[in-house]
Amino acid sequence: MAKSGPAPTINDVARIAGVSKKTVSRVINRSPLLKQATREKVEKVIAELGYTPNPQARALALRRNFLLGLLHDNPNAQTVLNFQEGVLDAIRDTEFALVVRPVDRHSPAMLDDIRNFLELQRLYGVLILPPISENDELAALCREMGCGYVRMGSAALDEAEHLVQSNDREMVEAVVDYLVELGHERIGLIEGPAGFRSAFERREGFLAAMKRHGLDMPSEALVQGNYRFNSGVEAAHQLLSENPHVTAIFASNDEMAAGAYHAARERGVDVPTDLSLVGFDDSPIAAHIWPPMTTVGWPIREMAKAAALKLVAPDTAEAQPSNFPARLVTRNSVAPPAKKI
Amino acid sequence: MAKSGPAPTINDVARIAGVSKKTVSRVINRSPLLKQATREKVEKVIAELGYTPNPQARALALRRNFLLGLLHDNPNAQTVLNFQEGVLDAIRDTEFALVVRPVDRHSPAMLDDIRNFLELQRLYGVLILPPISENDELAALCREMGCGYVRMGSAALDEAEHLVQSNDREMVEAVVDYLVELGHERIGLIEGPAGFRSAFERREGFLAAMKRHGLDMPSEALVQGNYRFNSGVEAAHQLLSENPHVTAIFASNDEMAAGAYHAARERGVDVPTDLSLVGFDDSPIAAHIWPPMTTVGWPIREMAKAAALKLVAPDTAEAQPSNFPARLVTRNSVAPPAKKI
DNA sequence: TTGTAGGCGTTATCAG
DNA sequence: CTGATAACGCCTACAA
């Protein structure tokens, strides 16, 4: 182990091992043209000294920092935090660190801000969460600035090396199948906001499944929210007012689904007896609300880890999957329909 | 503005301004011993070139990175994320960036891990969230390593320059006062886990207020949880079984309070008619649960901003408050007691 | 396969 | 007050 005092530098290692700095540098960077004996000798000294290359010096020389950035404007705190944990799973015990950078999608200066940020911090790469990950200009900016990037999304937004994706469309189809199997025929949809690819995918999956089952989908049974709780309350009220025969509602995320619970209570509609509700995300609120909510869960943490590995270990990047399966989490917010028309 | 191409360096500025690098450096670092005319001349060139000092080079020369670290093991995602936002409010448009570092309180290697982390990244300073902020060894480690730090906590854990605190004890007393004013006399407490200072403070505040009002506090009316939802469910069941005359329960955080809602429903107890419930944190679940929960909110984001400023702007640090008032957020989970003994 | 010289962009030292 | 010169710790180019 290292003694206390100033940390050993590459010079110390070189001197003690009796080789040049460059040779030590080659060992660190796994240069292939090194004699095995030399490598082992140097590695022994490195271990004895507890030497770790100084990231600041490397950053200066390489013009590139050992920092991964997390760009996000996701409204779901748990999603963001799970993602952070996943990234840290990937970079634990490496010299990398994770810097976070919330962005404001609505600011006209957003791209310029990010440009400055990337230029200043010289990040090794960035991980981009939805919905901002759907912005192609942002991806182009990363490419232009020579900054690695991986986007997380609910559709094939980019090439495999720049993407980890969940298949939202398929999952929502599965949700509808499940509801239909239980006997539901009049199902409402609270969709997410325009401009969110996830909202688009989820709606398309819903509509496709309804059509496949030959089920009627009147336009009043589709109401738009903005992914926030309150919009779910309002959307559910509107949907239930215009469409009293609906026996189930799928909301495009858990927060809006929780809003729908809220509206149902205000109207004296019992969940799930009078109305089945399904959300999307499997966020904590789904488990904590009453009755516990049936929803769709996706493996954020694993996706985050894979995304980070694509950036920091490009050699194994090929081995990292880009597609991640979601799963239906059945709890108690769904029951066979009781209502008769 | 800068033209495209390589970013201008201190050499470019020096050459064009006709001064030495060191003089430019002095301008950047606001050295007091500079002639006004020289300073202005250099500043003009800096503005023209759109020059920004390279943080990597500064990090190497100063042996200190312009990075703030966030050390946390807080189970509440929204709290952590709000804190991140607050820190970013403080460092927006500066060269600082925020790196996150979840820690595992239960790992025996935790302190060593953090030591390595600080040594490797040479952070400018760290912000420490509760409950890990209550660990004095960690604070000592920061001091030993010459790393700035600010702790966030619910009590006076450290000197003002290293602390932003909320006064949980007072707030819980206010909660009890509120409940008593409404007529409650038999109030239960679901306290947080041992080892959490916040849990301790909240319990002490509760007990002090009960005593002050001359109210009886049988030991069965105090149950311990672990700040998680499930522990709230169990604690409420136990409390209600052993103490059926309780008309109100204060839970030490919102998540456990949400668990208490859950238990109440399972027992057919109506909130707030049969049982009033109060939480702590004002996390999203408090607003989204039914009926909306009365709770205690504290200004995390402002606290985070102040904490970050204490680190990055030590000159104004004195001006930053260390004490932040919480406030009672009254919603619909509290009503006068209806039960008769 | 290894070593030497020089550079990355900034700050510290110390003389002027 | 200002400037030459030498760090800071690592990497690239080129030479041997």
Side-chain angles (χ1 to χ4, degrees):
Chain A
M1 286 305 300
K3 306 184 213 67
S4 64
T9 74
I10 197 171
N11 286 306
D12 301 323
V13 177
R15 184 168 34 75
I16 296 177
V19 299
S20 75
K21 296 199 310 185
K22 183 59 218 183
T23 300
V24 179
S25 174
R26 288 200 175 93
V27 173
I28 297 168
N29 296 293
R30 310 184 187 296
S31 160
L33 17 84
L34 259 185
K35 213 159 57 182
Q36 188 60 20
T38 314
R39 177 188 305 283
E40 281 168 8
K41 181 173 61 178
V42 174
E43 276 172 348
K44 184 153 162 287
V45 176
I46 288 181
E48 274 169 11
L49 254 40
Y51 165 73
T52 316
N54 177 316
Q56 286 78 47
R58 302 190 76 188
L60 181 57
L62 293 170
R63 288 108 165 281
R64 170 178 253 217
N65 233 322
F66 289 87
L67 254 24
L68 255 34
L70 177 59
L71 262 27
H72 71 87
D73 64 338
N74 193 293
N76 187 324
Q78 193 66 50
T79 298
V80 175
L81 224 62
N82 284 350
F83 197 92
Q84 291 182 6
E85 297 272 3
V87 173
L88 286 152
D89 287 343
I91 64 177
R92 202 178 305 287
D93 298 321
T94 73
E95 64 197 319
F96 283 95
L98 175 64
V99 341
V100 295
R101 170 79 188 195
V103 307
D104 177 5
R105 186 175 55 251
H106 301 298
S107 160
M110 182 201 73
L111 280 177
D112 282 336
D113 286 349
I114 295 180
R115 177 189 293 274
N116 287 338
F117 175 66
L118 295 181
E119 202 163 281
L120 192 64
Q121 301 295 343
R122 299 259 165 87
L123 297 184
Y124 196 91
V126 292
L127 300 156
I128 317 177
L129 289 196
I132 192 69
S133 63
E134 294 156 13
N135 185 323
D136 289 325
E137 285 180 82
L138 177 52
L141 175 64
C142 292
R143 230 172 287 135
E144 175 200 331
M145 310 227 15
C147 176
Y149 72 92
V150 174
R151 304 157 82 171
M152 170 151 116
S154 44
L157 300 166
D158 212 312
E159 298 144 39
E161 66 173 311
H162 294 298
L163 180 71
V164 288
Q165 85 162 93
S166 56
N167 199 324
D168 292 22
R169 192 183 291 229
E170 257 176 32
M171 279 316 298
V172 177
E173 291 200 42
V175 166
V176 174
D177 292 348
Y178 172 65
L179 256 13
V180 170
E181 243 171 64
L182 287 175
H184 292 277
E185 297 185 345
R186 300 176 172 274
I187 310 175
L189 168 63
I190 299 177
E191 70 166 336
F196 279 52
R197 182 64 180 261
S198 59
F200 172 81
E201 295 293 326
R202 292 169 198 179
R203 183 190 65 208
E204 291 307 303
F206 183 91
L207 264 20
M210 291 295 278
K211 189 166 180 182
R212 178 157 47 71
H213 287 290
L215 258 21
D216 193 33
M217 185 64 202
S219 66
E220 317 89 65
L222 195 171
V223 184
Q224 189 171 59
N226 65 7
Y227 272 164
R228 310 302 312 236
F229 179 81
N230 285 331
S231 76
V233 179
E234 287 165 25
H237 272 305
Q238 183 185 335
L239 208 158
L240 260 13
S241 299
E242 296 179 356
N243 228 312
H245 299 311
V246 151
T247 61
I249 294 179
F250 167 69
S252 202
N253 76 350
D254 286 347
E255 224 180 297
M256 294 196 299
Y261 270 72
H262 199 104
R265 266 196 223 296
E266 287 177 337
R267 306 173 76 89
V269 170
D270 185 73
V271 176
T273 312
D274 303 328
L275 181 69
S276 290
L277 247 23
V278 181
F280 200 106
D281 280 346
D282 194 22
S283 58
I285 193 169
H288 297 169
I289 206 165
W290 186 272
M293 188 197 298
T294 291
T295 182
V296 175
W298 38 307
I300 304 172
R301 190 158 172 169
E302 286 70 27
M303 291 173 78
K305 183 172 178 182
L309 286 174
K310 282 181 191 233
L311 243 27
V312 306
D315 43 317
T316 69
E318 304 271 315
Q320 293 301 325
S322 290
N323 254 283
F324 289 77
R327 70 187 200 295
L328 187 67
V329 181
T330 53
R331 289 198 266 250
N332 308 315
S333 62
V334 173
K339 265 187 197 165
K340 296 294 164 216
I341 301 179
Chain B
M1 284 310 299
K3 308 183 215 61
S4 63
T9 73
I10 199 170
N11 286 307
D12 300 322
V13 177
R15 184 169 33 76
I16 297 177
V19 299
S20 75
K21 298 200 309 188
K22 183 62 212 182
T23 299
V24 179
S25 175
R26 288 199 175 93
V27 172
I28 296 168
N29 295 293
R30 311 184 186 296
S31 160
L33 16 82
L34 260 186
K35 215 160 52 182
Q36 188 61 21
T38 314
R39 176 188 307 283
E40 282 167 7
K41 183 173 59 178
V42 174
E43 277 174 346
K44 187 154 160 286
V45 176
I46 288 180
E48 274 168 11
L49 255 40
Y51 164 73
T52 316
N54 177 316
Q56 286 77 47
R58 302 190 76 188
L60 180 57
L62 293 170
R63 286 110 163 277
R64 172 178 249 214
N65 234 320
F66 289 85
L67 252 27
L68 257 33
L70 177 59
L71 262 28
H72 71 86
D73 64 337
N74 193 292
N76 187 324
Q78 193 65 50
T79 298
V80 175
L81 226 62
N82 283 350
F83 196 92
Q84 291 182 6
E85 296 274 0
V87 173
L88 286 151
D89 287 343
I91 63 177
R92 202 179 306 286
D93 298 322
T94 73
E95 62 196 321
F96 284 95
L98 175 63
V99 342
V100 295
R101 170 79 188 196
V103 306
D104 177 4
R105 185 174 53 251
H106 301 297
S107 161
M110 182 200 72
L111 280 177
D112 282 336
D113 286 349
I114 295 180
R115 176 189 293 275
N116 287 339
F117 175 65
L118 295 181
E119 201 163 281
L120 192 63
Q121 302 295 343
R122 302 212 192 223
L123 297 184
Y124 197 90
V126 291
L127 301 156
I128 316 176
L129 289 195
I132 192 69
S133 63
E134 294 156 14
N135 185 324
D136 289 323
E137 285 180 82
L138 177 52
L141 175 64
C142 293
R143 229 173 288 134
E144 174 198 331
M145 311 230 9
C147 176
Y149 72 92
V150 175
R151 305 156 80 172
M152 171 151 117
S154 45
L157 301 167
D158 212 311
E159 297 143 42
E161 66 172 314
H162 294 300
L163 179 71
V164 289
Q165 85 163 93
S166 57
N167 199 325
D168 293 22
R169 194 183 289 230
E170 257 176 31
M171 279 316 298
V172 176
E173 292 200 40
V175 167
V176 173
D177 292 349
Y178 172 65
L179 256 15
V180 169
E181 242 171 64
L182 286 175
H184 293 276
E185 298 185 344
R186 299 176 174 274
I187 310 175
L189 168 63
I190 299 178
E191 69 166 335
F196 279 52
R197 182 63 181 261
S198 59
F200 173 79
E201 294 293 325
R202 292 170 198 177
R203 182 189 66 207
E204 292 306 301
F206 182 92
L207 263 19
M210 290 295 278
K211 188 166 183 183
R212 178 159 47 72
H213 287 290
L215 258 23
D216 193 35
M217 186 62 204
S219 66
E220 319 87 65
L222 196 172
V223 183
Q224 189 170 58
N226 64 6
Y227 274 163
R228 311 301 314 234
F229 179 81
N230 284 331
S231 75
V233 179
E234 286 165 26
H237 272 306
Q238 183 185 335
L239 209 158
L240 260 12
S241 299
E242 297 179 355
N243 227 312
H245 299 312
V246 152
T247 61
I249 294 178
F250 167 70
S252 202
N253 75 350
D254 286 347
E255 224 179 297
M256 294 195 299
Y261 271 72
H262 200 103
R265 265 196 223 296
E266 287 177 337
R267 306 173 77 89
V269 170
D270 185 72
V271 176
T273 312
D274 304 328
L275 181 68
S276 290
L277 247 25
V278 181
F280 201 107
D281 280 345
D282 195 22
S283 58
I285 194 170
H288 297 168
I289 206 165
W290 185 273
M293 188 198 298
T294 291
T295 182
V296 176
W298 39 305
I300 304 172
R301 190 159 171 169
E302 286 71 26
M303 291 173 78
K305 184 173 178 183
L309 286 174
K310 284 182 190 234
L311 243 29
V312 305
D315 43 318
T316 69
E318 303 272 313
Q320 292 301 325
S322 290
N323 254 283
F324 289 76
R327 68 186 200 296
L328 188 66
V329 181
T330 52
R331 289 197 268 249
N332 309 313
S333 62
V334 173
K339 264 188 197 165
K340 295 292 163 217
I341 300 176

